[in-house]
Amino acid sequence: MIRRARREYSMEEVLQVLHPAVAKWFSSKFKSLSPPQRYAVVPISKGRNVLVTSPTGTGKTLTAFLSIISRLLEMADRGELEDSVYAVYVSPLRALNNDIYKNLEVPLSEIKEMSPDLPKIRHAVRTGDTPTSERAKQLRKPPHILITTPETLGIILTAPKFREKLRTVRWVIVDEIHSLVENKRGVHLSLSLERLQHLAYQKFTRIGLSATINPLEEVAKFLVGYENGKPRDCLIVETSWAKAIDLAVLSPVEDLVNTPPEVTSERMYKLIADLVKENRTTLIFTNTRSGTEKVVFHLKKYLDGVENVDEKIAAHHSSLSRYVRKEVEDKLKRGDLRAIVSSTSLELGIDIGYIDMVVQIGSPKSITRALQRIGRAGHKLHEVSRGRFVVVDRDDALEVAVMVREALRGRLDRVHMPKKALDVLAQHIVGMAVEQKWDAKEAFELVRSAYPYKDLTWEEFESVLRYLSGEFTQLESRKVYGKIWYDPEEGTFGRRGKYARVIYASNIGTIPDEVSVKVYTTDGKYVGNLEEEFLERLVPGDRFVLGGKVYEFISARGLRVKVRPAFDQKPTVPAWFSEMLPLSYDLAVRIAEFRGWVFRRIDEGVPADEIVESIREMSNANEQAAKAIYNYLVDQYLYLKHLGLSVEDMPSDKVILVETYVDEDGRRHQVTHSLFGRRTNDALSRALAYLAGLKVRRNLGIAVKDTGFAIIYPRGVKPKINIGALVGEDLEELLKKALDKTEILRRRFRHVAARGLMILRNYKGYEISVNKQQLSAQKLLKVVQEIVNFPLLKEAYREIMEDYMDIEHAKEVVGKIASGEIRVVDVGEIPVPTPFAHNIVLEGLSDLIFMEDKMAALRRFQLAIKNMIEEEVQVRGR
């Protein structure tokens, strides 16, 4: 049963359950308990599974280790402590593992100093970076506490000798669990934990540590897994209230449309520079790696008065080498930096020293991510986490204001967890076969005890066994051979071939190889490189900027892209699109609700000053941000009034507005105002574009934003349907047809095939290039498309539709349209797109090289709207 902790324990009660030496050390170092310690130390000491969620700097890690160290010392007192592993600590980051090793060294050595007669509790790190000599040492003298990553845990479960040292495991700590549950690394870990439990002599205690996350009950089930069809017991310790937060929304200018871009940019950097100067160390988050580099470059100019400015500001993101990142982290810990600019790489709990304030440029796209980032400031328990959100776009300003309101109310987005990933399952089945001969039904039940697989069917499980055992002989011509044997009559399986263990160990993991793709013109001229993730978005005819010029995408083969120059044509896909974080569905719906609330307030005649003050109060926005948000909403309201709409027909969480705009090239942009986040809109737009394309017998373009999407019709072609046409359709089947022959299916199938050991990344010590992997994947894709329900193709579709897109919420939206809970209001063709549509229509102009064009177009739209609604403006006294 999953329960919430209600009982709070006193210092005396906590000290009583600790070994006397640990109690002596703890009471000498701490005069009081932190919130997680008050609730979790005693239950952990009693062997209960516990999920602890608490802000950074509240002592979560020590909470987890106190009872473990105590129990290890008690075992030593009784002469039971052997050369074996008793506790496994798992985190997603190698850097965090190294921090934990150092942080654990302090209490262990200090306890030993205070009580010299105690035996030494050994702890060690084991990751892919651990030298062979250190691994050999760990086998001879195993650490009592093993610190590792999900991937390395998966490998050592099959290490013939070391796995025997894991049979004694009594505790497993999963740190930063919030960063694992959302992706396949978490799915992989969930299966490893069940395999570890099968190996261990006794049930071990599971301890999950997390920053802000929701829903906690589901995360707890992920941590503890299932037994006999029911979740194992878990106690949830939620102390997210433990630290105060101070948040504010700041706009550098009041008018985010008519202010020249260079003025907005200058004032933004000056605003950020002032914040940096006011604080000792400021952590600045951007949403893209390119944005990080750009901010570092420009911010230096405005940090006048800061000595050695080039040495006092640094960038930190995943594209930098590990050596450079480590150097930056060390400077930060020493207090040598005044500002550090990061994309996502500093969100997790590695020790980065003291941060006074976090500045977020633009929207972090989810309440949870916002709080995780802001939580890096004021690292100590009694300190306030201070965060400032700087916005330079109207949609961002509105989004962040609602986000801050929700954060202050304690509302969080729900986490998305991949379910029934058949590629990860295939990898683990090979790992299990390496360990021993298995009864297939017993293995099936073990897999289903991992939460992401609780609904796995026997048919799905057996389809993976059949694939791995080489049943599909047509794959042998493509050099895909069986890696296990499976006897369906006897119901058993085991490893096949002497290389099975090596193949598993050298190809384990879920993170696909990141590569850049070379771009060539049709006459063979090399143009430059694209990120593979960016290539996934492209369909023939798409135009993008590379090296300052516009090119049209023709085709891709392996890691080679063919394009033709598009000369003076506008790009249709911005270069940074692949790096953009998607807005969460829950927050998107809250923003849609807020839009509707403001429209009603305006319609009721509430004075502008009163609405602006409401916006300021709810989000702690500065005057300029609050006015920018109000002006954006009132412009939309007045234009829709001019078009004859009532307030009940304006876009909100209950109304999807559809409008059509004809651009200067004669193309029609059918804009759907569906504020559900980009993942949901991606699914809705592709399904609708496929359906609409069949009606007009043409390929249609798509522009997707968090706030809605546009289906782009060629010159002379008019829309015949809108989003309402999806009612009664099988959304899943439509999407599958829409994805067929797309780059995203080809690329994602390679990722899935590599995880499922269909394509090997490493064979007999040789790395296989990603280009060869991709070429193999394209050939294999054609073969498996002829096989009914082939598990890895099924998984590729599932990954795209459920993890990359959000088909579940798309179905929910269509269901609400069908039931009348959401109405579709189609205003047809209008002379100028509404303010809410501007960013969607101008998506193709969003590349930095065309920023001035974009702003000029926005100003033209705005001026046209202003002229149209002058009468309404005068009536309302603006």
Side-chain angles (χ1 to χ4, degrees):
M1 187 181 292
I2 311 293
R3 293 189 180 88
R4 298 265 181 156
R6 298 280 181 261
R7 171 80 194 277
E8 193 174 342
Y9 294 88
S10 66
M11 176 67 103
E12 290 71 28
E13 289 173 304
V14 168
L15 294 177
Q16 280 174 10
V17 300
L18 299 178
H19 184 278
V22 179
K24 181 182 174 184
W25 170 82
F26 186 80
S27 56
S28 72
K29 303 290 283 187
F30 303 96
K31 299 306 171 197
S32 61
L33 299 168
S34 72
Q37 289 160 2
R38 288 202 294 272
Y39 286 93
V41 173
V42 173
I44 292 171
S45 74
K46 294 178 178 176
R48 293 196 66 179
N49 297 322
V50 175
L51 172 64
V52 180
T53 175
S54 191
T56 302
T58 52
K60 292 192 294 288
T61 311
L62 184 57
T63 300
F65 277 116
L66 273 173
S67 294
I68 294 172
I69 296 168
S70 286
R71 294 294 168 265
L72 290 173
L73 290 174
E74 287 173 10
M75 290 168 67
D77 289 345
R78 297 193 298 268
E80 296 172 0
L81 194 65
E82 299 175 358
D83 287 338
S84 201
V85 178
Y86 292 96
V88 176
Y89 168 95
V90 184
S91 93
L93 290 178
R94 294 177 186 181
L96 182 54
N97 283 342
N98 293 327
D99 278 347
I100 291 298
Y101 178 84
K102 291 171 191 169
N103 294 342
L104 202 51
E105 184 70 34
V106 174
L108 289 175
S109 60
E110 288 180 351
I111 291 168
K112 178 78 170 155
E113 282 174 24
M114 293 173 78
S115 307
D117 294 337
L118 291 174
K120 183 178 173 63
I121 302 297
R122 295 189 301 273
H123 67 302
V125 175
R126 184 158 178 151
T127 67
D129 294 337
T130 305
T132 307
S133 58
E134 173 62 19
R135 292 180 196 178
K137 180 183 166 188
Q138 289 177 10
L139 183 59
R140 290 193 305 272
K141 213 67 166 158
H144 301 118
I145 300 171
L146 178 68
I147 301 165
T148 191
T149 61
E151 291 75 17
T152 301
L153 177 60
I155 291 170
I156 60 177
L157 280 168
T158 60
K161 294 177 182 175
F162 196 82
R163 73 189 302 265
E164 293 303 311
K165 306 296 181 183
L166 296 174
R167 290 188 182 275
T168 50
V169 167
R170 296 190 181 188
W171 302 273
V172 172
I173 299 170
V174 181
D175 203 352
E176 303 289 346
I177 197 171
H178 57 277
S179 76
L180 290 167
V181 295
E182 289 187 290
N183 53 58
K184 287 188 174 180
R185 288 188 82 195
V187 177
H188 191 283
L189 176 62
S190 71
L191 284 173
S192 290
L193 291 179
E194 295 308 323
R195 287 170 60 195
L196 179 60
Q197 184 59 79
H198 180 266
L199 177 68
Y201 291 134
Q202 61 181 62
K203 284 186 185 177
F204 51 74
T205 300
R206 305 185 192 211
I207 304 158
L209 306 178
S210 174
T212 313
I213 196 164
N214 179 52
L216 286 169
E217 281 73 16
E218 189 173 9
V219 178
K221 290 173 186 173
F222 170 87
L223 171 68
V224 298
Y226 271 50
E227 202 170 279
N228 301 321
K230 294 180 181 177
R232 296 183 179 100
D233 288 347
C234 188
L235 186 72
I236 296 172
V237 173
E238 183 187 11
T239 55
S240 49
W241 43 265
K243 281 182 75 177
I245 53 173
D246 168 14
L247 308 177
V249 184
L250 309 174
S251 172
V253 295
E254 184 178 313
D255 190 336
L256 292 170
V257 174
N258 295 305
T259 306
E262 61 274 13
V263 175
T264 302
S265 182
E266 181 184 335
R267 291 186 186 172
M268 179 191 80
Y269 284 116
K270 190 174 184 309
L271 171 63
I272 296 168
D274 288 343
L275 292 171
V276 170
K277 289 174 189 175
E278 289 167 13
N279 295 287
R280 191 176 69 194
T281 309
T282 304
L283 172 56
I284 302 165
F285 279 108
T286 66
N287 285 344
T288 65
R289 296 185 289 274
S290 55
T292 294
E293 295 291 353
K294 185 182 169 193
V295 170
V296 170
F297 177 77
H298 288 292
L299 189 57
K300 287 177 183 177
K301 303 176 201 171
Y302 295 88
L303 288 172
D304 50 302
V306 176
E307 288 184 23
N308 301 320
V309 67
D310 286 340
E311 301 296 318
K312 296 293 183 182
I313 180 170
H316 190 289
H317 56 74
S318 57
S319 293
L320 296 171
S321 72
R322 191 178 303 162
Y323 171 77
V324 172
R325 293 201 305 269
K326 179 76 166 60
E327 198 174 32
V328 170
E329 289 160 19
D330 289 343
K331 277 186 176 180
L332 195 53
K333 287 176 195 175
R334 293 195 302 265
D336 292 345
L337 295 177
R338 290 294 300 275
I340 182 166
V341 188
S342 175
S343 50
T344 58
S345 54
L346 288 178
E347 280 182 1
L348 298 184
I350 60 172
D351 182 10
I352 54 172
Y354 186 79
I355 301 291
D356 296 270
M357 176 179 281
V358 169
V359 174
Q360 166 71 47
I361 301 173
S363 170
K365 298 294 178 182
S366 91
I367 310 160
T368 305
R369 186 179 294 110
L371 290 172
Q372 284 166 4
R373 290 180 172 185
I374 301 303
R376 304 301 317 226
H379 197 83
K380 291 183 180 151
L381 179 57
H382 62 278
E383 291 164 344
V384 177
S385 289
R386 295 160 63 230
R388 298 293 178 263
F389 297 85
V390 178
V391 294
V392 291
D393 174 271
R394 296 184 300 179
D395 281 325
D396 261 7
L398 175 56
E399 192 175 297
V400 169
V402 176
M403 180 185 298
V404 168
R405 181 193 71 178
E406 296 301 292
L408 294 172
R409 287 178 174 179
R411 287 177 174 168
L412 299 173
D413 321 283
R414 288 169 295 172
V415 71
H416 165 74
M417 196 179 296
K419 303 281 173 65
K420 297 201 293 188
L422 299 181
D423 51 352
V424 179
L425 174 60
Q427 197 173 118
H428 275 271
I429 286 175
V430 172
M432 291 166 73
V434 166
E435 294 169 11
Q436 64 178 74
K437 176 182 171 181
W438 281 84
D439 176 279
K441 291 287 185 182
E442 184 188 356
F444 175 58
E445 290 307 321
L446 182 150
V447 167
R448 293 201 343 145
S449 58
Y451 180 66
Y453 293 95
K454 68 182 179 67
D455 297 321
L456 185 76
T457 65
W458 169 254
E459 289 70 28
E460 288 167 327
F461 181 76
E462 192 180 35
S463 74
V464 177
L465 288 179
R466 290 183 182 280
Y467 143 63
L468 287 171
S469 63
E471 182 174 299
F472 303 108
T473 52
Q474 54 266 61
L475 293 175
E476 289 186 3
S477 63
R478 297 295 176 192
K479 297 183 179 177
V480 177
Y481 303 105
K483 291 162 187 72
I484 66 169
W485 58 262
Y486 170 51
D487 184 341
E489 299 283 324
E490 190 184 65
T492 55
F493 69 89
R495 78 173 182 186
R496 174 193 285 185
K498 59 182 178 179
Y499 289 114
R501 187 188 305 280
V502 176
I503 287 172
Y504 171 75
S506 56
N507 289 276
I508 198 168
T510 60
I511 302 170
D513 294 326
E514 278 195 24
V515 291
S516 60
V517 185
K518 291 189 174 181
V519 180
Y520 294 86
T521 57
T522 47
D523 57 2
K525 182 186 172 188
Y526 171 63
V527 177
N529 290 7
L530 288 177
E531 286 184 9
E532 192 180 16
E533 192 179 350
F534 177 73
L535 177 60
E536 283 184 351
R537 299 289 316 177
L538 299 180
V539 295
D542 277 346
R543 297 187 297 275
F544 59 90
V545 176
L546 188 60
K549 295 179 181 177
V550 182
Y551 295 94
E552 182 181 320
F553 174 64
I554 298 173
S555 64
R557 178 174 168 78
L559 300 182
R560 188 183 175 106
V561 171
K562 192 187 291 184
V563 298
R564 66 168 65 97
F567 301 107
D568 58 348
Q569 294 185 71
K570 303 293 187 197
T572 57
V573 183
W576 39 254
F577 189 92
S578 64
E579 293 186 52
M580 290 288 287
L581 297 165
L583 178 67
S584 70
Y585 176 83
D586 295 332
L587 179 56
V589 172
R590 300 288 185 195
I591 297 164
E593 284 175 0
F594 179 73
R595 281 178 171 183
W597 179 81
V598 174
F599 289 150
R600 290 191 297 275
R601 301 274 284 169
I602 296 169
D603 201 61
E604 291 162 7
V606 175
D609 289 351
E610 196 175 314
I611 298 174
V612 168
E613 189 55 34
S614 296
I615 295 169
R616 285 196 66 181
E617 284 180 4
M618 79 176 196
S619 61
N620 200 17
N622 68 356
E623 187 80 20
Q624 295 179 147
K627 284 184 176 176
I629 293 165
Y630 172 75
N631 290 337
Y632 183 35
L633 293 167
V634 84
D635 284 349
Q636 178 78 11
Y637 170 86
L638 291 171
Y639 185 28
L640 292 178
K641 273 288 184 183
H642 172 77
L643 294 174
L645 267 68
S646 68
V647 72
E648 288 80 19
D649 290 337
M650 293 185 184
S652 68
D653 58 313
K654 304 295 182 191
V655 173
I656 293 175
L657 183 75
V658 180
E659 61 181 90
T660 303
Y661 165 70
V662 184
D663 68 19
E664 56 194 21
D665 297 324
R667 299 181 306 168
R668 283 177 169 78
H669 299 248
Q670 185 190 53
V671 179
T672 303
H673 295 280
S674 50
L675 215 173
F676 302 115
R678 197 174 77 232
R679 288 178 58 235
T680 301
N681 284 336
D682 211 341
L684 291 169
S685 63
R686 284 181 189 256
L688 182 57
Y690 178 78
L691 206 58
L694 292 178
K695 298 278 184 190
V696 298
R697 297 181 180 179
R698 301 290 288 273
N699 285 332
L700 305 177
I702 304 171
V704 184
K705 297 283 280 184
D706 288 311
T707 54
F709 60 88
I711 307 295
I712 304 164
Y713 289 77
R715 186 185 183 94
V717 182
K718 292 184 178 182
K720 293 187 176 180
I721 57 172
N722 63 29
I723 192 171
L726 293 177
V727 172
E729 294 285 343
D730 185 329
L731 207 58
E732 208 161 308
E733 282 306 307
L734 275 183
L735 258 183
K736 277 186 180 177
K737 289 172 183 173
L739 289 169
D740 204 22
K741 298 189 173 96
T742 60
E743 277 304 314
I744 190 169
L745 178 62
R746 293 190 190 105
R747 304 281 148 188
R748 294 288 167 138
F749 178 72
R750 187 199 91 219
H751 298 170
V752 167
R755 287 190 208 101
L757 305 180
M758 189 180 197
I759 294 171
L760 301 181
R761 293 178 290 182
N762 194 303
Y763 185 60
K764 295 184 181 178
Y766 293 97
E767 281 195 22
I768 295 163
S769 73
V770 180
N771 190 42
K772 283 186 178 176
Q773 290 178 40
Q774 185 61 40
L775 289 169
S776 296
Q778 285 175 217
K779 291 171 184 173
L780 284 167
L781 181 57
K782 290 176 184 174
V783 175
V784 300
Q785 282 174 327
E786 302 300 316
I787 301 172
V788 178
N789 283 330
F790 186 74
L792 296 190
L793 180 59
K794 182 179 176 181
E795 173 56 25
Y797 280 117
R798 189 213 63 78
E799 181 182 298
I800 296 168
M801 292 193 290
E802 293 182 17
D803 302 343
Y804 180 75
M805 300 177 192
D806 186 351
I807 192 170
E808 289 310 311
H809 280 126
K811 286 177 181 175
E812 188 179 310
V813 169
V814 173
K816 286 181 177 180
I817 294 171
S819 69
E821 192 177 335
I822 292 177
R823 290 187 302 116
V824 177
V825 176
D826 195 332
V827 295
E829 279 190 23
I830 55 177
V832 183
T834 67
F836 284 1
H838 292 178
N839 277 338
I840 302 171
V841 169
L842 297 173
E843 173 74 354
L845 294 177
S846 293
D847 204 293
L848 291 174
I849 191 171
F850 291 109
M851 182 57 80
E852 289 182 11
D853 290 356
K854 178 191 174 187
M855 296 311 295
L858 281 173
R859 285 194 289 275
R860 284 200 308 275
F861 287 156
Q862 199 68 13
L863 183 61
I865 288 171
K866 184 181 177 185
N867 293 336
M868 284 183 206
I869 62 177
E870 205 167 35
E871 189 179 324
E872 267 92 357
V873 172
Q874 289 171 352
V875 168
R876 290 168 186 278
R878 274 188 72 200

